Amino acid sequence: MKDLWLHLVHGKPIERHNQGSVEQANSNIKDMLTAWLSDNNTRDSSLGIRLVQNQKNSSYHSRIKSTPYSTLLGENPKYGLSYTSLLQEVIDCLETEDDLAALGAQPPSDPTDKPLEASEPVIITPQPS
């Protein structure tokens, strides 16, 4: 799990005076994940670690005068449904998280539709306005 979402640094850093900051960073991430698990009454750390990673990567750092995300990628993180592949008409109809969850649970509307296999290409054609 940590190899996919977060790389915790173990061992001694190249410069000995940085050891404390490495240990502090590891402890901080562990504390954030523990708090998230407790607040959400869950043991699903695979979801929590993604949220902690997002929080760490989008937090402003005075030393670099930016966030790690924007420093690495040159732009701010994109949040919200408008950055998903949902059509705007669908987004406009959603009122609650339950509406969104129900949308994901709906079977295909056309009986010939089937779930895509991982190897199938996805072709998106513009819809006429």
Side-chain angles (χ1 to χ4, degrees):
M1 175 181 75
K2 73 177 182 184
D3 292 337
L4 292 174
W5 300 109
L6 182 69
H7 180 71
L8 297 177
V9 179
H10 297 282
K12 295 181 182 177
I14 294 171
E15 299 172 10
R16 182 160 169 71
H17 70 276
N18 288 337
Q19 181 65 37
S21 61
V22 170
E23 291 175 5
Q24 179 61 39
N26 286 348
S27 176
N28 185 263
I29 291 167
K30 180 181 174 186
D31 291 346
M32 290 172 71
L33 181 57
T34 301
W36 184 89
L37 293 170
S38 176
D39 290 349
N40 290 282
N41 195 27
T42 183
R43 297 180 71 166
D44 186 3
S45 58
S46 62
L47 174 59
I49 198 69
R50 286 188 264 169
L51 297 171
V52 167
Q53 177 190 25
N54 180 59
Q55 187 174 1
K56 291 293 286 182
N57 288 337
S58 59
S59 296
Y60 181 83
H61 289 264
S62 59
R63 180 176 278 171
I64 61 173
K65 301 194 181 341
S66 184
T67 65
Y69 185 98
S70 61
T71 298
L72 180 65
L73 300 176
E75 63 184 18
N76 291 325
K78 296 175 176 75
Y79 298 110
L81 292 176
S82 60
Y83 291 103
T84 67
S85 60
L86 291 174
L87 296 173
Q88 188 60 47
E89 294 83 20
V90 173
I91 294 171
D92 292 342
C93 294
L94 298 174
E95 293 182 14
T96 66
E97 289 179 16
D98 291 336
D99 294 343
L100 182 60
L103 181 66
Q106 290 179 355
S109 58
D110 186 82
T112 61
D113 287 348
K114 63 179 179 72
L116 291 175
E117 297 296 322
S119 61
E120 292 184 49
V122 177
I123 301 171
I124 301 172
T125 54
Q127 298 296 318
S129 306

